[in-house]
Amino acid sequence: MSGTPGRVVCFGEMMLRLSAPGRELLLQSPKLDVVIGGAEANVAVGLASLGHATAMVSRVPDNTLGDAVRGYLRRYGVDASSVSTGPGRLGLYFLAPGAGLRASEIVYDRDASSFALSTAADFDWDALLDGASLFHISGITPALGPQSAEMALAAAEAAAERGVPISFDGNYRAQLWQRWPSDPRTILTQLVARAEILFGNHRDISLLLGSEFSGDGADRRREAAEAAFEAFPNLRLIASTARHVVDADTHRIAARIDGREGAAQTEEVAVSGIVDRIGGGDAFAAGILHGVLTKRDLDWTVRSGLAVTALKHSLPGDASLFTTRDIESFLAGELDVRR
Ligand SMILES: O=C(O)C(=O)C[C@H](O)[C@H](O)COP(=O)(O)O
């Protein structure tokens, strides 16, 4: 990491997740379970649980819902003092969790949220990025609309100008990009160009570069990573998972990280009895960033990413709450009662 050790600053929208209870479809019965979520906040909570100083930068309405979001961050050890308030509402997303061979369904209801209505000028980047060791953003913010795309670019520019390394999670959300006459490739390319760490697989890289990668499995990922390293000179690390969905309760997941000088790949693990799959990607990012921030090698780092994402699938809610002890016991293969 080129920056000085300090806090990780995450920037993005926070929302309420409203889920159908159990394995029901949305509104099959007139009940919804509520948790607080948002991709970048999930990374902040995941990293705070792993002992890192983290701060969230966002905007919420000045009402009870906004207060609840800030309270949630504080409860899990994330500095919420840079979650400001502004006009608009809190975004929502509805989830019908998958079951058996039925996929999960997500419906967004986040137009005109306080975050989507904000611009880069609403944030004091000098103060927010002061002492930051890493700035984490994702492809969700630019997908919200042209104003948010501009804000994401300005935020990345602000970090780059101040020498704060950027971690970028592609988080491609087709539903969001399709809502406006967007050009995801041009926008995402500009963001990735400023990043040191990219969370994305060969499909994300194909979208960025407009080229297909023909190989299979690990070969295809290495080929894609090499193409990305060539196209984006600032990139230092690319991490991704390969997920084989057996059914809603069982996924097989392997993790990979590519550096400029080497790569590390895990075996596939069977993640069965899945309790909540949402936030698995953000948990992976937290596990990888934990390895990066503690200066571990690629092999340890990729296993940390796999451990945190695998464990997240056992936990209800958007964010990983696991500690370094949990990573260690997962990696030691301790699956039975810890006494
Ligand atoms: O889609 C969005 O805009 C959200 O932020 C909702 C979720 O919190 C994250 O998407 C979780 O993402 P995964 O870790 O990939 O499961």
Side-chain angles (χ1 to χ4, degrees):
M1 234 13 43
S2 41
T4 45
R7 58 204 184 116
V8 178
V9 177
C10 300
F11 176 59
E13 179 166 22
M14 296 190 66
M15 294 177 294
L16 297 185
R17 184 222 287 192
L18 305 175
S19 311
R23 297 299 178 95
E24 292 185 11
L25 299 175
L26 278 167
L27 302 183
Q28 185 178 338
S29 60
K31 286 188 210 121
L32 292 165
D33 293 331
V34 187
V35 297
I36 292 170
E40 303 81 359
N42 295 344
V43 174
V45 172
L47 280 173
S49 302
L50 291 167
H52 299 274
T54 58
M56 186 69 201
V57 177
S58 191
R59 204 153 234 237
V60 295
D62 188 7
N63 62 22
T64 311
L65 301 181
D67 294 347
V69 161
R70 290 195 284 196
Y72 162 83
L73 291 171
R74 281 195 290 269
R75 185 151 66 250
Y76 292 112
V78 177
D79 179 352
S81 59
S82 301
V83 177
S84 56
T85 56
R89 33 87 60 133
L90 191 67
L92 309 176
Y93 77 100
F94 296 84
L95 170 75
L101 298 180
R102 162 162 64 86
S104 300
E105 184 194 1
I106 283 185
V107 176
Y108 290 118
D109 175 26
R110 59 201 294 180
D111 282 352
S113 69
S114 303
F115 185 77
L117 293 181
S118 45
T119 69
D122 292 321
F123 300 96
D124 175 358
W125 296 108
D126 274 329
L128 297 173
L129 292 167
D130 186 38
S133 58
L134 191 68
F135 185 54
H136 180 77
I137 51 177
S138 96
I140 293 174
T141 300
L144 297 177
Q147 180 170 311
S148 301
E150 227 171 84
M151 176 171 74
L153 287 174
E157 194 61 42
E161 275 167 10
R162 289 159 182 79
V164 178
I166 295 170
S167 152
F168 181 78
D169 190 335
N171 270 340
Y172 187 75
R173 301 282 186 262
Q175 271 195 51
L176 297 177
W177 287 106
Q178 282 157 9
R179 295 173 63 86
W180 55 290
S182 59
D183 177 3
R185 188 199 291 181
T186 303
I187 295 166
L188 293 173
T189 298
Q190 293 176 66
L191 287 165
V192 174
R194 286 168 178 77
E196 268 192 29
I197 302 170
L198 170 66
F199 293 95
N201 61 21
H202 58 282
R203 279 189 296 277
D204 297 294
I205 296 171
S206 286
L207 172 77
L208 293 170
L209 303 182
S211 40
E212 293 295 319
F213 302 101
S214 52
D216 220 9
D219 288 345
R220 181 160 59 185
R221 277 161 199 264
R222 182 67 208 169
E223 204 190 311
E226 276 167 6
F229 284 136
E230 200 180 317
F232 302 109
N234 289 332
L235 266 190
R236 195 165 71 78
L237 290 174
I238 301 172
S240 64
T241 53
R243 181 186 294 272
H244 175 211
V245 178
V246 180
D247 60 34
D249 294 320
T250 310
H251 295 184
R252 290 207 300 269
I253 305 177
R256 180 174 174 91
I257 189 164
D258 286 272
R260 287 194 175 260
E261 253 114 64
Q265 162 100 33
T266 70
E267 297 289 309
E268 202 174 57
V269 294
V271 179
S272 54
I274 293 177
V275 170
D276 190 345
R277 175 245 181 280
I278 303 296
D282 304 325
F284 175 67
I288 293 287
L289 293 177
H290 173 59
V292 172
L293 292 162
T294 53
K295 303 195 185 325
R296 308 300 179 102
D297 62 17
L298 292 185
D299 193 51
W300 194 94
T301 299
V302 77
R303 290 187 301 121
S304 165
L306 182 74
V308 183
T309 192
L311 290 170
K312 164 63 195 73
H313 288 71
S314 73
L315 189 68
D318 249 47
S320 160
L321 303 177
F322 296 101
T323 64
T324 50
R325 218 176 308 120
D326 297 316
I327 296 181
E328 280 155 25
S329 60
F330 178 89
L331 294 179
E334 289 167 9
L335 296 180
D336 201 2
V337 184
R338 278 157 39 194
R339 295 177 204 273

